[in-house]
Amino acid sequence: MQEPAITPDLVAAHGLKPDEYARILQIVGREPTFTELGIFSAMWNEHCSYKSSKRWLRTLHTTGDRVICGPGENAGVVDIGDGWALVFKMESHNHPSYIEPHQGAATGVGGILRDVFTMGARPVAAMNALSFGVPGHPKTAHLVKGVVEGIGGYGNAFGVPTVGGEVRFHPSYNGNCLVNAFAAGIARADAIFYSAASGVGMPVVYLGAKTGRDGVGGATMASAEFDDTIEEKRPTVQVGDPFTEKRLLEACLELMASGAVISIQDMGAAGLTCSAVEMGDKGGLGIRLHLDAVPQREAAMTAYEMMLSESQERMLMVLRPAMEDQARAIFAKWDLDFAIVGETIPEDRFLILHGNQVKADLPLSQLSSQAPEYDRPWVPTPPATPMAPVPDADPLDALRALIGSPSYAHKGWVWEQYDSQVGADTVRTPGLGAGVVRVHGTDKLLAFTSDVTPRYVRANPERGGAQAVAEAYRNLIACGATPIAATDNLNFGNPERPEVMGQFVGAITGIGAACRALDFPIVSGNVSLYNETDGRGILPTPTIGGVGLIARMGDLIAALPAPGMVALVLGDTTGHLGQSALLAEMWGREDGDAPPVDLDAERRHGAFVLAHRAQIHACADLSDGGLALAAFEMAEAAGIGVTLTPGDLPTLYGEDQARYLIACTPAQADALASAATAAGVPLARVGHFGGDALRMGAAAAPLADLAALYRTAFAAALFGAPLAGEAHVA
């Protein structure tokens, strides 16, 4: 097949700038082949190289007493005691999900699961953080339906419980939805597998499903803005098969237990190219690949297509030669391909052979560790405009505005399509606070949450980044978990625009400061840039996925309030309404500054909750919607009324940080009050639970009426009013 001539247009179509192509010519010393151009495009794009972000990522807090493996591997690893480790990561599949929502979201789930089990861990939990445009946009309902079906279809069939997440709507996502997928798995701490190749002349083995033409160029597509050619990008979206992935999981874990694996790497973004290059580069070795040996499901595939395909459910491994027969038998048993496709070599060289031809011959290290790195120009985000006066309003009308909006309505339509109980270890299902699972066969529990408030980050990136960390920290504390580590998914617009790069720098600064102050290290993550369509960017959305450890079941805080219980607020309330949910949903306003974040108070108040959890019956962090929304959600989940003594909007809906809503008996409330006084921690009684109405000051409404609005508003906003009993089926 005649390869195309290398022209400036072809170089640009591969996402390479003229100066980058000039650097390629200098490295190679000649014009690259078509396959070599594709390899450079894949490895030097933003999705794989982190060329605009890695300078700033190095400033994050990534170490700690529990950290076994920080950023740089397929996933982060932390010690959870007694010889066990937790392996976890969050990653984006934004661009593919906008182009083809079902497969884009499904393969996002598949990819993050492979990141976890390629480290030797069995996945035990999944989450997702989803951001969509406004319900009235012509694509939003289609995207929501496809993404949710894709996540549910893949995760449910694979057999991993989805235990948490978040869903938001905002006009900035109209042309670029965000699909951030999280997965966590359990492994023995002394049996973690890494990707660095070692040993010269070791066989490089292809594992899993066959290679097709789906997903060719996917990583490059994910590193570019959208425009009116979006539909032409559909072939770059991968197609997933969760049943094959389940077999791949079992085969890989069995293979790892056999002792045959030297190193192993998921074939994710940029497929065979990225996995081979990263394994070789981390081990200081070269790689020779023989593409004739690659299992193919389509005829006459070219070297370019095989190297850049992102077909799913595939792994690359460096194998102990003496164990080839045993390894091959394991994969034959699971009806998966096993093929020796290359070997490690001592030279710094990436050599690709196809037929009798050399299709690529490149210095391997120049593709990965020595890829371009930019210090992009950036400008600080200007101070937020002062908040205009807040009109008077009935506090119940304000609550109806929140719970009647899709961002704050009950999300049962979404998470009821996910299997949250598969594996039989889920202790707390989605719907109220962090998800919790048991570590099978032990007394330990693990808690998971994902959090960010993009409005805050746009108004004040440093504060907003810190607040995202603090909210994840609080959500874990609120269920009785000690926060131990985090992952991040940093979703931003075009980093070549100084104002966007300024948002990124500010958010990273805030995230880093919060993680250091709270001893909450970032051990893995993902950066997704160029989230723009026709020059319009998303809200900066640095999602934080937090994990926490609960030593035993008795330490879990997951009950619901009962009649006669007292409502307490731990933390100071000043009534901060800038960038609040109240302003956004009641009046369509997004003005004022993000709330201040006192990291010392976050740590002290969190420590108080954990130290006194025996006196706490139910607990929730206060964030979007403040006291009013948290109290309503807690009462509605319990099916009982609540009376809040404050009646003013700032006290009810202010979004001051470092606060928790606590439900407990009167005797427990007295004990907590004494302890709070002794500890110098602010604690106030704000009402009580009971009855069948929600009361705020002088205003009251039947809980049943509010609950009916809350439980139907999501589906009604997206798809029209559902039929009775069909709120979870679209």
Side-chain angles (χ1 to χ4, degrees):
M1 180 179 176
Q2 183 70 32
E3 293 190 343
I6 308 299
T7 65
D9 285 346
L10 188 66
V11 171
H14 280 74
L16 294 163
K17 301 291 171 64
D19 60 319
E20 291 174 333
Y21 184 65
R23 180 172 170 176
I24 290 170
L25 293 176
Q26 185 178 21
I27 290 169
V28 180
R30 55 175 169 77
E31 182 181 86
T33 68
F34 182 52
T35 300
E36 288 173 336
L37 182 70
I39 288 170
F40 273 109
S41 167
M43 293 306 302
W44 284 12
N45 67 53
E46 203 71 59
H47 194 76
C48 293
S49 73
Y50 291 76
K51 59 190 176 186
S52 297
S53 59
K54 56 188 173 186
R55 176 185 186 279
W56 297 101
L57 296 176
R58 294 189 192 103
T59 69
L60 289 171
H61 174 55
T62 60
T63 60
D65 293 342
R66 291 186 178 272
V67 178
I68 295 172
C69 176
E73 273 293 338
N74 288 287
V77 187
V78 293
D79 189 340
I80 57 172
D82 301 318
W84 292 101
L86 179 68
V87 179
F88 67 99
K89 187 184 181 184
M90 181 175 275
E91 193 161 72
S92 62
H93 233 222
N94 304 335
H95 283 51
S97 298
Y98 189 78
I99 298 168
E100 174 47 66
H102 185 109
Q103 290 297 343
T107 52
V109 173
I112 199 66
L113 290 169
R114 287 195 304 281
D115 281 340
V116 167
F117 71 75
T118 195
M119 303 286 290
R122 181 174 292 277
V124 297
M127 291 191 298
N128 53 80
L130 311 176
S131 302
F132 298 102
V134 293
H137 187 272
K139 285 203 72 168
T140 298
H142 166 70
L143 290 171
V144 171
K145 189 173 185 294
V147 164
V148 171
E149 286 177 348
I151 291 169
Y154 203 102
N156 297 353
F158 177 85
V160 62
T162 298
V163 300
E166 55 184 343
V167 185
R168 70 178 56 82
F169 298 84
H170 189 275
S172 73
Y173 306 107
N174 279 349
N176 199 128
C177 65
L178 301 184
V179 175
N180 296 174
F182 169 99
I186 300 295
R188 296 301 300 178
D190 59 357
I192 303 298
F193 287 81
Y194 299 96
S195 58
S198 63
V200 173
M202 296 294 108
V204 175
V205 183
Y206 174 115
L207 306 169
K210 288 179 167 53
T211 294
R213 291 187 170 92
D214 57 315
V216 172
T220 301
M221 173 272 292
S223 302
E225 298 177 37
F226 285 148
D227 54 28
D228 57 8
T229 66
I230 184 172
E231 287 302 320
E232 298 171 13
K233 297 179 171 68
R234 191 173 299 275
T236 64
V237 178
Q238 312 89 336
V239 177
D241 178 356
F243 300 104
T244 297
E245 179 121 331
K246 174 65 172 173
R247 288 185 285 120
L248 183 62
L249 161 72
E250 300 299 344
C252 285
L253 294 183
E254 186 175 342
L255 186 67
M256 290 165 173
S258 75
V261 178
I262 294 175
S263 61
I264 190 166
Q265 173 78 31
D266 161 44
M267 282 197 225
L272 188 53
T273 290
C274 191
S275 55
V277 168
E278 289 191 355
M279 289 176 77
D281 191 50
K282 288 175 183 175
L285 295 168
I287 300 283
R288 181 189 293 117
L289 293 179
H290 307 272
L291 298 187
D292 293 346
V294 170
Q296 300 161 54
R297 68 167 182 258
E298 298 186 47
M301 289 192 71
T302 65
Y304 179 96
E305 290 169 333
M306 280 187 273
M307 292 306 298
L308 298 187
S309 167
E310 294 182 10
S311 293
Q312 297 292 285
E313 295 87 43
R314 302 181 300 159
M315 295 280 194
L316 200 64
M317 172 184 69
V318 177
L319 172 73
R320 298 190 193 284
M323 302 192 70
E324 178 187 336
D325 290 344
Q326 184 177 348
R328 189 183 296 276
I330 289 170
F331 272 73
K333 181 181 80 173
W334 289 100
D335 193 24
L336 293 165
D337 278 293
F338 177 102
I340 295 177
V341 296
E343 56 277 332
T344 58
I345 56 178
E347 304 88 8
D348 178 19
R349 191 176 182 192
F350 193 38
L351 183 60
I352 310 300
L353 306 170
H354 188 214
N356 297 317
Q357 294 182 305
V358 174
K359 291 295 185 178
D361 190 353
L362 301 169
L364 186 143
S365 62
Q366 295 286 344
L367 297 167
S368 183
S369 59
Q370 296 179 47
E373 178 176 341
Y374 298 130
D375 185 2
R376 300 274 191 202
W378 61 277
V379 295
T381 300
T385 55
M387 190 179 70
V390 177
D392 255 348
D394 182 292
L396 283 171
D397 287 343
L399 182 65
R400 291 185 186 98
L402 263 66
I403 65 176
S405 73
S407 287
Y408 301 106
H410 190 265
K411 300 300 190 304
W413 184 92
V414 175
W415 52 258
E416 285 170 12
Q417 297 184 54
Y418 306 150
D419 189 340
S420 61
Q421 300 284 1
V422 62
D425 282 320
T426 304
V427 174
R428 195 185 205 192
T429 56
L432 197 66
V436 180
V437 300
R438 282 185 291 260
V439 179
H440 198 79
T442 77
D443 293 331
K444 302 177 192 295
L445 305 174
L446 294 165
F448 304 100
T449 185
S450 67
D451 298 283
V452 67
T453 305
R455 291 190 310 276
Y456 294 173
V457 187
R458 181 179 60 184
N460 189 325
E462 189 168 342
R463 247 185 218 184
Q467 189 277 338
V469 174
E471 186 176 345
Y473 186 86
R474 288 197 305 274
N475 264 318
L476 298 171
I477 294 277
C479 70
T482 299
I484 57 174
T487 182
D488 59 24
N489 203 147
L490 308 174
N491 308 274
F492 289 81
N494 184 343
E496 297 168 49
R497 293 203 283 128
E499 64 273 21
V500 171
M501 199 64 210
Q503 292 174 337
F504 184 86
V505 171
I508 285 281
T509 303
I511 289 168
C515 288
R516 277 186 290 275
L518 300 175
D519 190 20
F520 197 35
I522 299 280
V523 298
S524 61
N526 172 254
V527 178
S528 176
L529 303 176
Y530 296 95
N531 288 289
E532 301 200 356
T533 298
D534 296 327
R536 293 189 297 275
I538 61 162
L539 287 181
T541 311
T543 307
I544 301 296
V547 301
L549 179 64
I550 303 172
R552 58 189 182 88
M553 184 69 77
D555 289 339
L556 174 68
I557 306 172
L560 293 171
M565 286 191 170
V566 176
L568 305 173
V569 168
L570 171 65
D572 286 317
T573 299
T574 65
H576 183 94
L577 289 176
Q579 297 297 328
S580 66
L582 175 70
L583 290 186
E585 301 300 343
M586 188 76 177
W587 294 289
R589 288 170 45 183
E590 295 181 2
D591 55 330
D593 203 351
V597 180
D598 183 336
L599 295 169
D600 181 60
E602 294 285 1
R603 189 152 190 166
R604 286 186 293 107
H605 298 175
F608 182 86
V609 171
L610 294 182
H612 299 282
R613 55 190 150 198
Q615 305 297 324
I616 297 172
H617 190 77
C619 186
D621 93 292
L622 297 192
S623 51
D624 279 27
L627 169 62
L629 186 58
F632 167 77
E633 289 176 343
M634 194 181 277
E636 197 274 342
I640 59 172
V642 60
T643 296
L644 298 176
T645 49
D648 61 300
L649 291 180
T651 306
L652 289 167
Y653 292 96
E655 296 180 5
D656 306 284
Q657 301 296 293
R659 296 189 303 156
Y660 298 84
L661 172 63
I662 292 169
C664 57
T665 66
Q668 290 170 330
D670 291 340
L672 285 170
S674 298
T677 300
V681 171
L683 185 73
R685 293 196 183 207
V686 294
H688 63 272
F689 293 91
D692 58 5
L694 188 146
R695 303 177 187 277
M696 291 188 280
L703 181 69
D705 292 351
L706 296 171
L709 171 64
Y710 178 58
R711 296 235 165 203
T712 58
F714 183 91
L718 270 298
F719 312 110
L723 298 173
E726 292 186 357
H728 67 293
V729 178

